[in-house]
């Protein structure tokens, strides 16, 4: 739409804005995090320590034993110190980034474990109630031991009736009952 002078156009508010051009490059944070975790994982290995030690010994050995014209870092080894500081300044944030990602994964796992524990507790409580209900129901049912003792008593009575006498301790009870 043209303005009063005819040189300005007004943007429509009902249309989304087009993509903006950014000065900084864009990157995938997950891909960057995965790369930083791999680097941090490598920095924490014996292999890294061996390679770093080998590189430093080679650096120092070259700058001491090589001819003066071929040396690139004289005795105080200021360039070596700069390189080690640079490596440390990159390693620390990468390690922290990897630790933060691991903390996030641990937090998710902890939440999943907590939910699983809640489900397990609920299942256990349900089963406890069911077992209690079964025990209450079984309280009225004859048990094997009770049936065995009843059969044993009946067998004694049948034996007594067949032989016609009772043991002495039972005859005393009959006299007391009268």
């Amino acid at each position: 739409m043209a303005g009063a002078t005819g040189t300005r156009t007004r943007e429509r508010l009902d249309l989304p804005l087009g993509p903006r051009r950014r000065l900084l490059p864009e990157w995938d944070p997950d891909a960057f995090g995965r790369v930083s975790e791999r680097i941090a994982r490598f920095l924490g290995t014996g292999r890294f320590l061996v390679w770093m030690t080998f590189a430093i010994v080679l650096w120092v050995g070259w700058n001491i034993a090589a001819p003066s014209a071929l040396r690139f870092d004289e005795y105080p080894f200021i360039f070596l110190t700069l390189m080690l500081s640079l490596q440390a300044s990159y390693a620390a944030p990468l390690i922290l980034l990897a630790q933060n990602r691991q903390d996030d994964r641990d937090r998710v796992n902890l939440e999943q474990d907590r939910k699983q524990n809640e489900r397990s507790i609920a299942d256990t409580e349900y089963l406890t109630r069911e077992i209690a209900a079964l025990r209450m129901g079984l309280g009225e049912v004859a048990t094997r031991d009770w049936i065995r003792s009843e059969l044993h008593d009946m067998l004694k009575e049948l034996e007594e009736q067949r032989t016609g006498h009772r043991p002495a301790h039972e005859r005393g009870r009959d006299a007391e009952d009268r």
Side-chain angles (χ1 to χ4, degrees), residues 24-84:
L24 298 175
E26 292 187 26
W27 63 85
D28 180 17
D30 285 334
F32 186 77
R34 285 190 300 271
V35 169
S36 68
E37 284 177 339
R38 289 161 92 190
I39 293 170
R41 209 172 295 125
F42 175 69
L43 291 176
T45 63
R47 181 183 296 164
F48 170 75
L49 292 175
V50 168
W51 280 108
M52 187 64 125
T53 303
F54 177 74
I56 291 172
V57 167
L58 186 66
W59 185 296
V60 170
W62 178 266
N63 286 297
I64 289 176
S68 295
L70 297 177
R71 293 180 191 168
F72 57 89
D73 193 16
E74 292 295 324
Y75 165 66
F77 306 118
I78 294 175
F79 189 53
L80 175 64
T81 305
L82 176 68
M83 294 307 291
L84 291 174

Side-chain angles (χ1 to χ4, degrees), residues 81-93:
T81 305
L82 176 68
M83 294 307 291
L84 291 174
S85 297
L86 182 65
Q87 182 266 333
S89 68
Y90 274 99

Side-chain angles (χ1 to χ4, degrees), residues 3-173:
T5 62
T7 59
R8 278 181 48 178
T9 60
R10 185 172 176 190
E11 291 185 29
R12 292 183 53 176
L13 296 177
D14 61 337
L15 296 176
L17 293 175
R20 290 185 178 183
R21 294 186 186 245
R22 297 187 182 226
L23 297 176
L24 298 175
E26 292 187 26
W27 63 85
D28 180 17
D30 285 334
F32 186 77
R34 285 190 300 271
V35 169
S36 68
E37 284 177 339
R38 289 161 92 190
I39 293 170
R41 209 172 295 125
F42 175 69
L43 291 176
T45 63
R47 181 183 296 164
F48 170 75
L49 292 175
V50 168
W51 280 108
M52 187 64 125
T53 303
F54 177 74
I56 291 172
V57 167
L58 186 66
W59 185 296
V60 170
W62 178 266
N63 286 297
I64 289 176
S68 295
L70 297 177
R71 293 180 191 168
F72 57 89
D73 193 16
E74 292 295 324
Y75 165 66
F77 306 118
I78 294 175
F79 189 53
L80 175 64
T81 305
L82 176 68
M83 294 307 291
L84 291 174
S85 297
L86 182 65
Q87 182 266 333
S89 68
Y90 274 99
L94 289 174
I95 291 170
L96 288 174
L97 179 62
Q99 285 177 341
N100 288 340
R101 286 175 52 90
Q102 184 62 44
D103 287 344
D104 292 342
R105 281 192 298 272
D106 290 344
R107 193 175 303 111
V108 168
N109 287 338
L110 185 64
E111 182 65 24
Q112 289 174 348
D113 289 346
R114 187 185 63 76
K115 287 179 181 177
Q116 178 63 35
N117 287 341
E118 287 175 358
R119 286 191 298 266
S120 296
I121 288 171
D123 290 345
T124 303
E125 289 174 351
Y126 170 75
L127 290 174
T128 302
R129 287 190 301 273
E130 289 295 314
I131 289 171
L134 286 172
R135 283 185 176 169
M136 289 172 58
L138 283 176
E140 299 170 4
V141 175
T143 63
R144 182 179 61 189
D145 292 336
W146 181 79
I147 292 173
R148 189 175 286 152
S149 68
E150 290 296 314
L151 287 174
H152 186 64
D153 290 344
M154 288 177 67
L155 185 63
K156 274 185 182 179
E157 287 179 23
L158 288 173
E159 185 68 30
E160 288 170 4
Q161 287 177 3
R162 191 173 61 96
T163 59
H165 76 284
R166 288 189 175 164
H169 67 277
E170 289 185 6
R171 277 187 241 140
R173 275 195 227 148

